[in-house]
Amino acid sequence: MSEKKLLVTRSSMPPFEEYAEMIKPLWESRWLTNMGEYHRMFEKEIGDYLESRVSLTVNGHMALELAIQSMNFPAGSEVITTPFTFISTTHAIVRNGLTPVFCDIGEDFTIDVSKIENLITERTAAIVPVHVYGNICNVEEIERIAFKYGLKVIYDAAHAFGERYHGRSIAQYGDMSIFSFHATKVFHSIEGGAVCCRTNEQYETLYNLKNFGIRSEELTVGVGANAKMNEFQAAMGLCNLKYITQEIGKRKLAVERYQELLAGTDGLWLNRRREDVESNYAYFPILFEDAEQRDVIYQKLREHEIYARKYFYPLTADAACFKNKYRNANLKRARYVTDRILTLPLYADITEEEQNRVVSVIKEGMAQGRMRL
Ligand SMILES: *Cc1c(COP(=O)(O)O)cnc(C)c1O
């Protein structure tokens, strides 16, 4: 079979000339990083777009790792989080010397807020929830719990770029929210990330952490890492930001098309989007009733050069490096979902024909499955 390869995502590119124009002055200035002009411009523009104070970082993982570090939790503190996420979320907690406490997820795949309070101990310092697939967590309940127990909240909002909830930018929730601008995300700067913070003090702490703690030639005020976004990244971000509304609009059409094509398929559930969220249409996960069928269809799609992905399988709690290391709550629904989920190819310029190809392989596979039963 000589079908074109379909990957789960495909990076959006700005017109080549626009990026080329943008980076040309760098050959003159030779200022390639260290909070250059584009870094500062992008920080301002992305802040306006997200309606938040922003500190740019080299990638989303470092944004989360440094956001957590900036809170200065006592070593060994516990952080309540979801196991149904990209491994980065859990790594960022563990690399800070903190202990992840995994909480089960709810029907919308985000952390089950009714199970958080049971997991709180005197060592609990924070909650790190994830707006997985761009599904917004129950932010009101998380805020209530955090306030009641004096916990910090840091949202991993890597999937939620550009989303609004009740008319408010999702970047404004929690003590901090972080975004990833990785090439595979709805919005990208090749690699890149951002911490959205609330106060000048937070901003300055993050600045120190991403720049070796260096404040001037002879003054180093803290032990920092190097996590600065460079000028080529910032230029790409500035170019792509011009097209973000258009990009999300195209994704919306593609998502609606998948929904139409797949609606009512026996044995399949589609991700529900909330009316009160302005979505970014980041992912198209489907949930199989039958776990074995998920694996069969995943394989069939691959045979047709369609690389759907099991986002997220396995749970981060079950990763080889974490398995049996941490106190695990009952992760019943997370385990159910991780065995049955499949994320379909989705990007702004996916064609109708490509979507038809994906859907027909799924539907054929499902029909064969039923005949077997
Ligand atoms: C992509 C992603 C990250 C990490 O971002 P990078 O920019 O790839 O470092 C963290 N958390 C989640 C949920 C992600 O999807």
Side-chain angles (χ1 to χ4, degrees), residues 42-43 46-47 50 52-56 193-197 203 210:
F42 186 36
E43 205 163 79
I46 206 79
L50 293 172
S52 168
R53 179 180 287 270
V54 166
S55 180
L56 291 176
V195 185
C196 291
C197 59
Y203 179 86
K210 77 176 178 187

Side-chain angles (χ1 to χ4, degrees), residues 108-146:
D108 65 351
F109 311 122
T110 70
I111 196 165
D112 183 344
V113 291
S114 72
K115 302 202 170 127
I116 293 177
E117 283 189 270
N118 270 337
L119 299 173
I120 294 174
T121 70
E122 64 279 9
R123 290 155 71 90
T124 308
I127 309 173
V128 175
V130 180
H131 302 303
V132 68
Y133 308 133
N135 292 356
I136 301 305
C137 298
N138 185 338
V139 288
E140 293 88 1
E141 186 60 12
I142 290 170
E143 190 175 321
R144 186 193 69 77
I145 294 168

Side-chain angles (χ1 to χ4, degrees), residues 59-61 85-86 88-89 130 156 158-159 180-182 185 192 283:
N59 58 48
H61 176 81
T85 179
F86 182 47
S88 165
T89 315
V130 180
D156 181 339
H159 294 183
S180 161
F181 305 153
H182 187 259
K185 306 279 155 98
Y283 296 91

Side-chain angles (χ1 to χ4, degrees), residues 4 25 143 168 191 265 320 341 358-359:
K4 197 178 122 215
E143 190 175 321
R168 193 172 148 203
E191 295 240 23
T265 310
I341 201 84
V358 176
V359 170

Side-chain angles (χ1 to χ4, degrees), residues 336-348:
Y336 180 91
V337 170
T338 195
D339 286 337
R340 290 168 177 77
I341 201 84
L342 193 64
T343 299
L344 303 186
L346 176 66
Y347 34 88

Side-chain angles (χ1 to χ4, degrees), residues 18 53 70 123 130 143 152 172 186 196 241 244 250 271 283 292 304 307-308 337 370:
E18 283 183 27
R53 179 180 287 270
S70 75
R123 290 155 71 90
V130 180
E143 190 175 321
K152 298 285 187 200
Q172 296 180 357
V186 168
C196 291
L241 194 55
I244 185 65
K250 288 188 193 168
N271 185 33
Y283 296 91
E292 204 180 304
H304 287 83
Y307 296 87
V337 170
R370 263 199 306 284

